[in-house]
Amino acid sequence: MNTAVPAQTQAADRREYALRLGDNALILGQRLSEWCGHGPFLEEDIALTNLSLDLIGQAQLLLDLAASQVPDDPFSDADKLAYLRDAHQFRNALLVEQPNGDFAHTILRQYLMDVHDEKLYSALASSQWPALADIARKVLKEIRYHKQHSGDWLHRLGQGTEESHARLQKALDDLWFYTPELFESDALNQRLQEAGVAPDMADIERQWRSEVEPAIQQAGLRLPESGWRATGGKKGHHSEHLGYILAEMQFLQRAYPGCEW
Amino acid sequence: MTTAQDTGTRQRPDAATVRRWLAVVTDPEIPVLSLEDLGVLRDIHWQDDTLMVVISPTYTGCPAMDRMRADIEATLRAKGVEKLHIREQLQPPWTTDWITGKGLAALQAYGIAPPRRSGEVRCPQCGSANTTLISRFGSTACKAMHKCEDCLEPFDHFKCH
Ligand SMILES: [Zn+2]
């Protein structure tokens, strides 16, 4: 790993930012893994678990990066961060911890995240933080492939049968108000943006909207009216769903600390 | 068992020799491909008394990478290398353009359609280009599933990446 760090950034800020990125990948990857053996048909079962594997690989790179910022961090590697933190220490957006629901819910959530990830990591590829830029350029190739898959399904389900269309519209109505949180910018984002480490999230949101909104219309769906919006993940305020995810994901390390195989 | 003093005076194998030794290390999921053929082996050099082996990971979550690291280590230890460091390098990202001509031919012979820059996917059984995608994802991170419309055989395609 390139250990050079950008001037004028604090180790704690870099750790926190890498956690936000890594936790989004980890929790979405863990959610997708629940489809293993439950996919609507064999090929899609394999596809969803392949997506899961890529995301967990990405999480490992990002969480190792987070773990290496602060000297004597008690969470000294990706495994400790994934398996030993409590829910309030996770920094993922609420969207990725939402239950899978039906296939339409899973695919829609995936599409919304794939476009977000593509725009964000494209910007991070020129980050002033070399280790993060390296990871961004590596994972972008995987993210673009994921987006082709979820984008195709968005169209197929939206323009498919009455049933598939209705389910996809329901998913959109349920999940749309979790998306503003993805683009929230707080003091940490501002500091890292000034240091050239992270992009302007308003710009990422514009790019995301200009791709997602036409795609939703072309799928024959209607955007939900503005209303409530979910927030809190970056501060560690999660829905009750995260606790259940961690209970399953962390069971082994909690029951048998340090176990390896 | 040799002592540290012995290694200091013993002749160090050069990079070309180490590459030859590593030719036996293959992708555990596609055993006809050596690491060199796969384009994963980026660099071999000595840094003081430590042999540095630099590899590029294929897919970030590919479990085969752990096996490859372990196999590199076991192979070099068996050849008497004591100080060894295997480093993963993300930049530039691995691409299927780095698979050697020998590797592409080995894939084809093994029944996996090799990645082609043109994007064309030819049936490894009958050579027909009249093929359709069944699924973008397959049994490993690097493969997709296709079907030949001429001989009707399904087959794996090593995805362009
Ligand atoms: Zn054929």
Side-chain angles (χ1 to χ4, degrees):
Chain A
M1 190 191 291
N2 188 330
T3 52
V5 293
Q8 291 154 350
T9 59
Q10 300 296 318
D13 278 1
R14 293 193 303 272
R15 177 187 190 273
E16 184 77 5
Y17 190 66
L19 278 184
R20 291 178 182 179
L21 299 171
D23 284 347
N24 275 347
L26 177 66
I27 300 302
L28 185 57
Q30 179 69 16
R31 267 293 185 223
L32 288 172
S33 75
E34 293 170 15
W35 277 103
C36 187
H38 299 275
F41 52 94
L42 183 62
E43 286 80 3
E44 202 48 40
D45 196 294
I46 292 170
L48 292 171
T49 43
N50 263 280
L51 295 176
S52 168
L53 197 60
D54 283 346
L55 283 162
I56 288 170
Q58 295 168 14
Q60 190 159 18
L61 292 174
L62 291 160
L63 294 181
D64 271 334
L65 181 64
S68 64
Q69 297 310 307
V70 179
D72 305 321
D73 194 323
F75 301 103
S76 55
D77 62 28
D79 283 345
K80 291 196 176 68
L81 282 167
Y83 294 129
L84 300 178
R85 278 180 300 158
D86 290 326
H88 69 276
Q89 295 168 303
F90 276 77
R91 295 293 179 258
N92 59 282
L94 300 179
L95 175 63
V96 297
E97 71 196 42
Q98 295 311 302
N100 286 333
D102 59 13
F103 182 61
H105 260 82
T106 293
I107 282 296
L108 182 78
R109 183 185 60 199
Q110 193 60 36
Y111 176 72
L112 299 172
M113 279 307 287
D114 286 343
V115 181
H116 163 270
D117 285 356
E118 186 197 27
K119 306 309 175 199
L120 179 59
Y121 285 100
S122 294
L124 290 174
S126 49
S127 170
Q128 292 299 309
W129 185 3
L132 181 57
D134 283 358
I135 293 172
R137 275 175 259 154
K138 174 73 187 162
V139 305
L140 254 180
K141 294 172 82 165
E142 296 171 2
I143 290 164
R144 292 198 171 115
Y145 197 76
H146 296 177
K147 194 186 84 172
Q148 286 184 330
H149 186 70
S150 59
D152 271 8
W153 271 115
L154 177 80
H155 198 78
R156 274 176 82 179
L157 295 177
Q159 298 289 357
T161 65
E162 214 171 289
E163 175 78 9
S164 73
H165 177 90
R167 284 179 180 240
L168 193 61
Q169 182 65 54
K170 169 84 168 65
L172 185 61
D173 293 343
D174 287 350
L175 296 176
W176 186 247
F177 300 107
Y178 288 96
T179 60
E181 187 191 9
L182 298 172
F183 307 102
E184 277 176 2
S185 186
D186 60 6
L188 171 66
N189 285 93
Q190 294 295 329
R191 288 195 294 276
L192 292 182
Q193 190 186 326
E194 278 160 29
V197 166
D200 176 0
M201 288 312 288
D203 183 44
I204 301 296
E205 181 170 18
R206 270 191 297 277
Q207 293 179 42
W208 181 84
R209 282 187 179 276
S210 70
E211 179 162 335
V212 164
E213 292 182 358
I216 284 174
Q217 275 160 15
Q218 280 156 26
L221 304 171
R222 116 195 98 60
L223 278 180
E225 307 264 316
S226 174
W228 63 283
R229 52 192 280 175
T231 184
K234 282 180 180 175
K235 298 194 194 77
H237 303 158
H238 292 279
S239 61
E240 72 276 22
H241 306 299
L242 184 63
Y244 290 96
I245 296 174
L246 299 187
E248 175 153 336
M249 185 174 82
Q250 298 183 335
F251 169 78
L252 196 99
Q253 284 301 323
R254 299 287 193 179
Y256 304 96
C259 178
E260 288 183 41
W261 72 94
Chain B
M1 179 103 190
T2 48
T3 67
Q5 274 172 330
D6 289 339
T7 20
T9 52
R10 203 168 59 192
Q11 181 141 23
R12 288 176 188 158
D14 60 15
T17 305
V18 174
R19 264 181 203 277
R20 263 201 313 282
W21 290 345
L22 291 179
V24 301
V25 180
T26 56
D27 181 332
E29 292 171 333
I30 309 174
V32 294
L33 274 190
S34 73
L35 298 195
E36 177 111 45
D37 292 335
L38 188 58
V40 157
L41 207 50
R42 302 311 302 156
D43 189 35
I44 294 166
H45 64 270
W46 287 90
Q47 191 169 307
D48 303 322
D49 59 349
T50 302
L51 180 63
M52 308 288 289
V53 176
V54 183
I55 58 175
S56 292
T58 52
Y59 285 80
T60 52
C62 180
M65 292 308 298
D66 285 338
R67 261 290 297 284
M68 292 184 212
R69 263 194 308 273
D71 290 350
I72 290 171
E73 174 156 7
T75 303
L76 296 180
R77 296 265 182 246
K79 293 288 186 186
V81 175
E82 294 197 339
K83 289 200 173 178
L84 170 67
H85 184 70
I86 302 169
R87 189 164 65 82
E88 276 197 16
Q89 180 178 299
L90 294 180
Q91 282 306 315
W94 175 83
T95 159
T96 44
D97 292 347
W98 294 349
I99 301 179
T100 62
K102 181 167 152 276
L104 295 173
L107 281 172
Q108 169 91 19
Y110 193 59
I112 298 173
R116 290 170 194 266
R117 282 197 187 183
S118 64
E120 185 184 57
V121 179
R122 281 186 174 273
C123 170
Q125 311 296 333
C126 74
S128 168
N130 183 18
T131 60
T132 48
L133 176 72
I134 297 174
S135 175
R136 283 196 184 82
F137 298 90
S139 55
T140 65
C142 57
K143 289 181 290 192
M145 290 189 275
H146 289 251
K147 181 177 78 170
C148 177
E149 299 294 352
D150 284 333
C151 74
L152 302 180
E153 284 289 323
F155 63 90
D156 277 335
H157 172 232
F158 201 108
K159 300 184 287 206
C160 292
H161 187 78

